[in-house]
Amino acid sequence: MVIAIRDGRFERLEQERWHPLAVGQGIFRTDRVRTDPAAVATVTLAGIGRIVIGPSTDLELGKDPKDFQIRMQRGFAWFESNL
């Protein structure tokens, strides 16, 4: 779930197009998300933890909660894990 978006836009890639995300909207393992140069987004993933995603970040969330791996194309993020 998207907990907070500060400044800018936070988006999810769906069917080769970027779509905006809003606070309270669901986010799932396997989603690819990005922030614009001004945005900072905070999300929680059930059974995984919390992620704070910094500006100009493009990342793909992991698929397996037992071997959760995130692929970051660019940018930075902070992770608090429940694994």
Side-chain angles (χ1 to χ4, degrees):
M1 176 176 288
V2 179
I3 301 300
I5 301 171
R6 189 177 68 217
D7 304 326
R9 287 188 322 261
F10 183 45
E11 302 171 311
R12 172 182 18 225
L13 185 64
E14 295 177 26
Q15 299 176 359
E16 306 296 321
R17 294 186 61 207
W18 291 99
H19 299 276
L21 289 163
V23 173
Q25 193 168 356
I27 191 167
F28 308 97
R29 291 189 306 269
T30 74
D31 278 350
R32 182 172 173 191
V33 295
R34 73 178 182 185
T35 54
D36 73 10
V40 175
T42 304
V43 301
T44 59
L45 296 169
I48 303 295
R50 182 173 63 145
I51 306 169
V52 178
I53 304 167
S56 297
T57 298
D58 181 348
L59 59 87
E60 184 176 344
L61 301 173
K63 296 175 172 93
D64 183 357
K66 292 185 173 136
D67 186 24
F68 191 73
Q69 296 180 16
I70 291 178
R71 182 177 310 198
M72 188 175 303
Q73 305 298 326
R74 70 174 187 273
F76 59 95
W78 295 269
F79 305 93
E80 181 181 339
S81 174
N82 296 331
L83 298 175

